[in-house]
């Protein structure tokens, strides 16, 4: 057992230069990185999304955005390419931005920026904003810049939506008002064009039609009576040669008819007013008969030789002509009424269609007016910041201590990684080496037992040269690795930028 330990120790001592090269290389790189990596400061601010200040049952804002959705909208707007580049250049966030492309600036800004929100049921919605920078002042200034932009974005977002909503309903009210005026004008034009056949006047026209039809029937009866009277007078005169017979009353037919018409007029006045068409017709007929009776009273004294028969026949013919004129007038009015009554159903359907369209537009107009009032109230709420709003709970301040890098951890981790890598490399080399290096290997490989073994001994000069070479290589590693890292960091690109680019490429 002791011989095996001595053997492995001898192997390790033999491979010690390889181990030292790997170990010291890793350690030098870790120590250099720990010393050269820039100090990172992290500053943060905390924002609170408050609910509306006015109860929703009294007045509601027209901007209805959930708190979680509002957080996402603000985060996406803040992390846009233009804003990130503007913030980075405004605060000179990175030392060598002139050597960085806009894509690299945006990528590093997004990587260094951390915006997260916490919300839940029956819980307040809080937004935390953090930024890592090379100095405490830059970190705090960037976070405060973010906060200012977030507050401004929130105000502009909400007031802009409220104003857009108000402007939309103003346009809707104007449009619906113009449409309502056009519909009203169309209804008025239709009513003016069909004033004689509107549904509202149908009862009057039906009543007037009945009245005129009754008058026409009465005129026809009166005309038939007059024609019969004329024929009877002619028959009596041709038979007797005179007009007065034993059956003839002392009064003339005109006088009897006059008495009858006066009775009818009295009965009609008991029912109708003096403006009623029937009353006026009776009054006109009575006036005509009175003139006839007065004319009859002076016929016997006439010197022109006209006989009583001719006079009475002439009177009857005049009355018949008057009745015919009245019948013609009544029938003309009846024709007009029948045409109007016939067009009334179609006009009623068309007018109802126009009225339905008008009522529909009226309802839309009333609804738009109500919504316009609500939109005006919502805009006022947003302008006065009485709706949902974002307030600053904690302002960003410059941190007193850096958050990264953890230099001791980097140095210790690099040294440990070098130790593991050196041991692993030594083990791998020895594992792959199949040469014979001790008597046990001879006995195992040749299946024989050697009597004695002669070790290989180096000369003093060979040992010195080997040690010098090892020391030179170690010195190169110890001095060259930090010098190379420093030169790259100073004259080419900072190590943090190189690491970020490497991470980006590995991510791709």
């Amino acid at each position: 057992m002791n011989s095996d330990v001595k053997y492995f120790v001898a192997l390790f001592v033999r491979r010690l230069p390889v181990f030292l090269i790997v170990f010291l290389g890793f350690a030098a790189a870790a120590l250099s990185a720990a010393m050269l990596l820039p100090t990172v400061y992290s500053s943060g601010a905390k924002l609170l999304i408050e609910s509306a200040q006015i109860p929703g049952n009294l007045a509601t804002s027209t901007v209805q955005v959930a708190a979680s959705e509002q957080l996402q909208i603000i985060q996406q707007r803040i992390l846009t390419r233009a804003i990130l580049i503007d913030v980075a250049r405004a605060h000179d966030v990175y030392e060598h931005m002139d050597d960085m492309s806009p894509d690299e600036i945006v990528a590093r800004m997004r990587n260094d920026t951390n915006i997260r929100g916490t919300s839940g049921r029956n819980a307040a919605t809080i937004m935390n904003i953090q930024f890592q920078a090379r100095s405490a002042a830059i970190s705090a200034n960037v976070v405060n810049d973010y906060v200012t932009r977030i507050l401004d974005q929130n105000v502009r977002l909400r007031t802009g939506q409220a104003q857009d909503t108000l402007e939309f309903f103003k346009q809707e009210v104007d449009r619906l008002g113009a449409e309502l005026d056009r519909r009203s004008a169309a209804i008025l034009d239709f009513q003016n064009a069909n004033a004689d056949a509107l549904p509202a006047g149908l009862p009057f026209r039906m009543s007037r039609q009945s009245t005129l039809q009754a008058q026409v029937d009465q005129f026809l009866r009166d005309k038939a009576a007059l024609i019969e009277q004329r024929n009877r007078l002619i028959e009596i005169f041709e038979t007797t040669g005179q007009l007065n017979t034993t059956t003839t009353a002392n009064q003339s037919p005109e006088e009897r008819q006059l008495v009858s018409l006066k009775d009818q007029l009295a009965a009609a006045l008991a029912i109708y007013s003096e403006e009623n068409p029937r009353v006026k017709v009776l009054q006109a007929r009575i006036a005509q008969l009175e003139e006839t009776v007065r004319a009859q009273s002076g016929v016997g004294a006439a010197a022109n030789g006209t006989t009583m028969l001719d006079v009475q026949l002439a009177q009857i013919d005049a009355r018949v002509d008057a009745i015919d004129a009245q019948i013609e007038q009544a029938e003309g009015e009846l024709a007009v009424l029948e045409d109007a009554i016939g067009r009334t159903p179609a006009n009623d359907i068309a007018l109802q269609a126009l009225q339905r369209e008008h009522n529909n537009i009226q309802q839309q107009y009333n609804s738009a007016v109500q919504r316009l009032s609500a939109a005006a109230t919502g805009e006022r709420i947003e302008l006065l910041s009485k709706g949902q709003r974002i307030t600053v709970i904690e302002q960003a301040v410059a941190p007193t201590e850096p958050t990264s890098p953890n230099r001791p951890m980097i140095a210790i981790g690099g040294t440990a990684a070098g130790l593991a890598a050196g041991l692993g490399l030594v083990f791998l080399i020895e594992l792959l080496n199949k040469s014979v290096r001790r008597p046990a290997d001879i006995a195992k490989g040749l299946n024989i037992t050697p009597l004695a073994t002669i070790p290989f001994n180096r000369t003093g000069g060979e040992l010195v040269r080997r040690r010098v070479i090892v020391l030179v290589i170690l010195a190169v590693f110890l001095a060259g690795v930090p010098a190379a890292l420093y030169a790259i960091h100073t004259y080419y690109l900072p190590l943090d930028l190189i690491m970020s680019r490497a991470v980006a490429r590995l991510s791709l």
Side-chain angles (χ1 to χ4, degrees):
M1 182 67 180
N2 293 331
S3 61
D4 290 338
V5 173
K6 292 180 180 180
Y7 171 72
F8 288 117
V9 170
L11 287 179
F12 178 75
V13 171
R14 183 180 178 183
R15 302 298 183 184
L16 184 61
V18 175
F19 170 78
L20 291 177
I21 290 173
V22 175
F23 172 71
L24 294 178
F26 272 84
L31 292 174
S32 300
M35 296 176 62
L36 294 177
L37 284 176
T39 304
V40 177
Y41 293 86
S42 178
S43 179
K46 186 177 293 186
L47 305 179
L48 173 66
I49 299 182
E50 296 181 348
S51 59
Q53 307 298 309
I54 300 176
N57 57 349
L58 298 179
T60 305
S61 172
T62 54
V63 182
Q64 301 295 329
V65 181
S68 58
E69 181 181 357
Q70 188 172 0
L71 286 177
Q72 295 177 359
I73 293 174
I74 293 174
Q75 182 174 356
Q76 294 302 320
R77 290 196 174 190
I78 288 299
L79 297 180
T80 57
R81 180 185 180 91
I83 291 180
L84 291 178
I85 294 176
D86 186 24
V87 172
R89 291 177 176 172
H91 300 284
D92 193 20
V93 176
Y94 304 111
E95 290 182 341
H96 303 278
M97 281 197 299
D98 295 337
D99 299 329
M100 300 171 61
S101 66
D103 293 336
E104 292 175 344
I105 295 175
V106 171
R108 290 198 63 181
M109 288 292 293
R110 288 177 177 171
N111 183 63
D112 295 337
T113 301
N114 184 15
I115 300 178
R116 66 182 186 276
T118 59
S119 62
R121 188 174 181 181
N122 299 326
T125 302
I126 298 175
M127 175 186 292
N128 294 299
I129 305 173
Q130 291 182 342
F131 186 79
Q132 296 180 349
R134 57 190 172 90
S135 70
I138 292 177
S139 176
N141 292 336
V142 170
V143 173
N144 288 329
D145 194 343
Y146 280 155
V147 170
T148 302
R149 291 174 184 268
I150 287 174
L151 297 178
D152 182 64
Q153 286 277 352
N154 181 63
V155 172
R156 287 196 296 173
L157 173 66
R158 300 188 66 86
T159 57
Q161 288 186 2
Q163 291 173 356
D164 291 342
T165 303
L166 179 61
E167 184 63 26
F168 171 77
F169 282 111
K170 282 182 179 179
Q171 295 176 0
E172 279 296 295
V173 169
D174 295 339
R175 182 183 66 83
L176 292 174
E179 183 67 17
L180 190 62
D181 294 340
R182 190 176 69 84
R183 298 290 182 179
S184 300
I187 292 176
L188 181 59
D189 293 340
F190 182 83
Q191 289 177 342
N192 292 334
N194 301 274
D196 59 337
L198 293 177
L202 182 61
F204 171 76
R205 288 191 293 275
M206 297 292 292
S207 175
R208 180 61 177 166
Q209 185 185 37
S210 300
T211 301
L212 289 175
Q213 190 63 49
Q215 291 179 2
V216 169
D217 294 340
Q218 183 63 40
F219 289 152
L220 292 176
R221 288 193 296 270
D222 293 342
K223 180 180 178 181
L226 290 174
I227 293 175
E228 183 181 359
Q229 181 182 0
R230 186 178 187 280
N231 294 334
R232 189 168 56 250
L233 287 175
I234 294 174
E235 183 181 356
I236 292 173
F237 183 78
E238 290 177 351
T239 303
T240 61
Q242 58 181 2
L243 294 178
N244 295 326
T245 62
T246 57
T247 60
T248 303
N250 293 330
Q251 290 182 338
S252 64
E254 289 76 12
E255 293 175 345
R256 291 196 297 272
Q257 188 177 6
L258 179 61
V259 173
S260 176
L261 290 176
K262 288 183 178 180
D263 294 336
Q264 294 179 14
L265 178 61
L269 289 174
I271 299 174
Y272 307 105
S273 65
E274 292 184 356
E275 299 298 325
N276 190 274
R278 184 177 179 85
V279 174
K280 291 185 177 181
V281 170
L282 291 173
Q283 290 174 348
R285 293 177 62 190
I286 290 172
Q288 291 177 356
L289 287 176
E290 287 176 347
E291 292 179 359
T292 303
V293 171
R294 284 195 298 270
Q296 286 178 354
S297 63
V299 170
N304 55 4
T306 305
T307 63
M308 182 64 72
L309 178 61
D310 294 334
V311 173
Q312 291 186 1
L313 291 179
Q315 292 175 354
I316 291 174
D317 292 338
R319 292 168 60 190
V320 170
D321 293 339
I323 290 174
D324 288 337
Q326 292 175 347
I327 290 174
E328 182 179 1
Q329 180 181 0
E331 288 179 347
E333 187 174 352
L334 279 173
V336 173
L337 288 174
E338 289 176 358
D339 178 68
I341 292 172
R343 290 188 290 112
T344 299
N347 291 340
D348 187 16
I349 294 174
L351 188 60
Q352 287 182 3
L354 292 175
Q355 193 64 43
R356 281 196 303 271
E357 294 176 355
H358 179 274
N359 293 339
N360 185 24
I361 299 299
Q362 183 68 54
Q363 292 178 357
Q364 296 180 24
Y365 178 80
N366 295 338
S367 177
V369 170
Q370 293 177 356
R371 294 178 180 179
L372 176 62
S373 177
T377 303
E379 184 197 30
R380 188 67 178 168
I381 290 175
E382 294 301 331
L383 291 177
L384 296 177
S385 298
K386 298 299 182 181
Q388 188 183 78
R389 61 181 181 178
I390 298 178
T391 57
V392 180
I393 299 178
E394 293 182 4
Q395 193 75 23
V397 295
T400 57
E401 295 181 358
T403 57
S404 64
N406 191 342
R407 303 184 191 279
M409 185 61 66
I410 293 175
I412 295 174
T415 303
L419 179 63
L423 292 175
L425 181 60
V426 170
F427 177 77
L428 181 62
I429 292 174
E430 293 300 325
L431 184 64
L432 296 177
N433 189 1
K434 302 298 182 179
S435 60
V436 176
R437 288 170 289 178
R438 59 178 177 168
D441 296 335
I442 297 175
K444 183 178 179 181
L446 300 177
N447 198 19
I448 60 174
T449 302
L451 297 176
T453 57
I454 300 173
F456 177 77
N457 294 320
R458 297 180 184 274
T459 63
E462 291 177 344
L463 292 175
V464 171
R465 285 195 300 272
R466 187 172 182 272
R467 291 173 182 175
V468 169
I469 293 173
V470 170
L471 292 175
V472 170
I473 294 174
L474 291 178
V476 169
F477 268 85
L478 288 176
V481 171
L485 292 177
Y486 178 79
I488 293 172
H489 180 78
T490 305
Y491 300 105
Y492 179 64
L493 280 179
L495 293 180
D496 56 340
L497 184 57
I498 294 175
M499 293 177 62
S500 64
R501 289 184 178 181
V503 171
R505 289 183 178 274
L506 292 176
S507 299
L508 291 177

